[in-house]
Each structure stands twice: as structure tokens, then as C-alpha cells.
Amino acid sequence: MAATFSIPLKISGYYVLPINLPPLASFPTPATHYLYLSPHEPKIATPTAPRSIFLVNVPFDATEAHIKALFSTQMELPSGRIEDLQFEGDKSKECRGSSDQSSLVIKGKKSKKRKRGAEEQSLDDVEGAQMPTTWDRELQRDRRTAVVTFVDRVSMETVIKAVKRTRKERKQLVWGEGVDEKLPTLGSARYLNHHKLRYPNKTELLNSVNTYMTAFAEKETARSRLMAKQRQEPDEDGFVTVTRGGRTGPARQEAAQEQAEKLKSKQKGLEDFYRFQTREKRKARAGELVRKFEEDKEKVRKMKERRGKFKPE
């Protein structure tokens, strides 16, 4: 194991953590896996970044239980200090994180686009509408990354110190110790179980289909309400979004008048917003002055004509 500790403590800003992989029946020779970690520094800052660690070269069979056992059991981090673990490619958590980031970026800025309502946000809310899974355990892609979020920054710094101490004391870390026995096995048993899961129970399949169709119907209803709302209400610039189905006018005259008054109040103050509006207004004012001037000339001419024809009684 001397070669294991001949590598430097850090490489390109990442701490190197050697992990021993236990021998398998198919490969009885022990091997060493190198896990690289550093404080998380994303391009777009997030509230959880200062208390997160970025992992590189995560083993292919890594699960949340593996990471927690590595940090808590073998590196003596107090239990319950890991708040969240996000592997690369975890779409559910990526969508949630991206929505949180977008809300932070947009916060405090006045957007010129139409703001999304509750109906539009519910279009992506189809949790629980997935088909039954055909794998009993998710495997990671080779050299995949992960982000471990801790409850506070102190816990994150404790893990970094534990890595330095582990390297200094040459402590042997065994991957999956006390965890693999609690997870579904790999190898041929995994594919035999996969073959069974490809043909789910009829009741389970029916429940999944019903859940999906219910979520799909709610999604379509929300989409129809949103499109109808966009056809009726103009945005801040006075434009109406063109959607499928065409525009539908109000059913009653009172509703039409109310909508016209509402539109007029929204457009108040936008008369001189565009340059052509100012130009047209100046042209109309000049035309009005010319018209009044011609009317005054005609009045003066008629007064002059009547002046010589005046005959007192």
C-alpha cells in the first residue's frame, strides 16, 4: 500500500482520498479507488454552496448510504450532518435546484416578460406519475460527480479536516463497509431481478397508469386555463399572447365594456411610448392648427364682405 500514499494530498485544488475496494468473486484482487473532493464553487452562487462539497470520480455503485457511511462511520463525522446528496444526472433534484437558482437570480429585478402563474408552474408537477421501475438499484456513470450538502459550514470544514487527518494517519478506508449487505446485490442477481421487474404486478401497473392519467388531465386543464388567460389579458407592453385556439370575446356586453375599460386603464400613459406615436400626435396637432387658421380666414373674409353692405334702418 505504499504506492497509495505516494500521491500528493491535493491535485488541481482537489483533495485526494484513497479508498480500498473489497475483492469480489469475479475480481478477487483488492484495488484502490481515488475520490477527489473540494469545496463546492458553482458558477452561479447558491445559498447551499458555502456548506457543500463537490465530489469527482464517484464509484459506479455509489448510493447515498455509501457516502453517508464513508463520512459518518469511517471518517467520524457526527451522524445527521448531511442534509442532501445530489448525484450528476439526478433530474428530479436538478429541476428543483435550477428553479431555486432562477428564483434567486430574478429576485429583485423587474422582469418585462409575462410572469408565470400558479397554473404554469403546475405543468411540471407530475411527481408520482412514473411507471414502475425495472431496476432495483441505480448505478452511477463512470467518473460521475456528486454534491454533498451539509447542515452547516462547520460540518463541511470538518470533512475537509478529516480527509487531511486520514491521509496523514494513513488510515485505510473500505468502500461499502457495512452498507453493501443492506442493498440489492449486483452481478447476475441484479439482471435476474431486472427481468422480473420488467413484468410488474397488474394492480401496481394499473395504479401507475391511473396516477399518470390523473396528473396528465390536471396538466392539460391547467394549460387550457393558462392559454385562455393569455388570450384575454395583455402584458405590460399592451400585447396579447397569440396561442392556439384563437381569441374568444366576452359573452356579455357588460363584460366587454369592463374589459375595454380595464385595457384602457392599463394603456394609460403609453400614448407617447413609441416615436411614431409622438410623430403622429405632432402631425395631428399641426393639422388642427391649419384647419382652425383656414376657418378664421373664412370668417374674416365674410366679415369684410358684410361691412360694406351694412344699411341702418
Side-chain angles (χ1 to χ4, degrees):
M1 292 294 177
T4 302
F5 297 96
S6 62
I7 61 175
L9 175 63
K10 294 183 69 174
I11 297 178
S12 300
Y14 287 85
Y15 292 94
V16 183
L17 183 63
I19 301 174
N20 295 329
L21 300 180
L24 302 174
S26 58
F27 191 78
T29 304
T32 303
H33 184 88
Y34 297 97
L35 185 66
Y36 304 89
L37 62 160
S38 71
H40 189 35
E41 297 178 355
K43 294 182 179 180
I44 301 178
T46 61
T48 58
R51 51 187 175 92
S52 302
I53 285 181
F54 185 67
L55 304 180
V56 182
N57 197 30
V58 178
F60 78 97
D61 61 341
T63 62
E64 188 170 348
H66 282 88
I67 302 299
K68 289 184 176 180
L70 177 66
F71 288 155
S72 301
T73 305
Q74 302 194 50
M75 299 179 65
E76 301 177 357
L77 178 71
S79 60
R81 309 309 295 174
I82 297 179
E83 179 182 294
D84 188 27
L85 175 61
Q86 177 181 337
F87 288 104
E88 177 188 354
D90 192 345
K91 295 182 179 180
S92 60
K93 292 187 178 181
E94 282 182 356
C95 292
R96 183 182 62 189
S98 62
S99 63
D100 295 341
Q101 289 184 12
S102 61
S103 62
L104 289 172
V105 173
I106 298 175
K107 186 177 181 180
K109 297 183 179 180
K110 186 176 181 181
S111 175
K112 293 184 178 180
K113 297 182 179 180
R114 184 189 303 275
K115 296 183 179 180
R116 298 178 59 178
E119 298 90 349
E120 189 173 359
Q121 292 178 357
S122 64
L123 297 182
D124 300 327
D125 186 14
V126 290
E127 295 182 1
Q130 293 82 8
M131 296 294 290
T133 179
T134 58
W135 294 100
D136 56 4
R137 177 177 171 182
E138 292 292 335
L139 297 181
Q140 311 299 328
R141 194 172 60 241
D142 188 27
R143 299 184 181 87
R144 180 163 284 191
T145 62
V147 177
V148 184
T149 304
F150 298 89
V151 294
D152 51 25
R153 184 178 178 86
V154 176
S155 301
M156 185 271 291
E157 295 174 347
T158 302
V159 171
I160 299 295
K161 293 178 182 178
V163 172
K164 297 178 182 178
R165 184 174 62 254
T166 301
R167 291 296 308 276
K168 183 178 180 181
E169 298 175 356
R170 298 192 175 187
K171 183 178 179 181
Q172 302 295 318
L173 302 178
V174 181
W175 179 254
E177 188 175 35
V179 177
D180 288 338
E181 295 81 4
K182 304 176 183 178
L183 297 174
T185 57
L186 301 178
S188 59
R190 167 179 169 83
Y191 292 95
L192 288 174
N193 197 20
H194 169 62
H195 180 71
K196 295 179 181 179
L197 293 175
R198 289 178 60 190
Y199 304 94
N201 180 272
K202 182 178 179 180
T203 303
E204 182 182 357
L205 181 61
L206 182 61
N207 292 335
S208 298
V209 172
N210 290 337
T211 303
Y212 178 83
M213 294 306 298
T214 301
F216 180 78
E218 293 177 354
K219 175 182 176 181
E220 289 298 311
T221 303
R223 190 191 302 275
S224 300
R225 288 199 301 264
L226 177 63
M227 293 175 65
K229 183 178 180 181
Q230 290 178 344
R231 287 195 297 264
Q232 297 294 335
E233 296 184 3
D235 56 15
E236 297 178 356
D237 296 332
F239 296 99
V240 177
T241 304
V242 179
T243 58
R244 291 186 60 183
R247 297 189 60 188
T248 56
R252 297 184 303 174
Q253 184 177 1
E254 296 81 1
Q257 293 178 354
E258 182 180 355
Q259 183 178 350
E261 293 295 333
K262 187 184 299 184
L263 181 61
K264 187 176 180 180
S265 62
K266 286 186 177 181
Q267 293 180 346
K268 188 176 181 180
L270 299 178
E271 295 82 1
D272 300 332
F273 184 79
Y274 297 102
R275 183 178 297 178
F276 79 91
Q277 292 177 325
T278 306
R279 185 170 60 250
E280 292 294 334
K281 184 174 289 188
R282 287 201 303 265
K283 187 183 297 184
R285 190 181 299 112
E288 182 68 18
L289 292 176
V290 171
R291 186 183 62 80
K292 290 184 177 181
F293 177 72
E294 294 295 334
E295 290 179 356
D296 292 342
K297 283 177 61 178
E298 184 65 21
K299 290 180 181 180
V300 171
R301 186 183 64 79
K302 291 181 178 180
M303 290 175 61
K304 287 183 178 179
E305 290 179 355
R306 289 197 301 267
R307 183 181 302 172
K309 298 179 181 181
F310 177 74
K311 297 180 179 181
E313 295 179 359

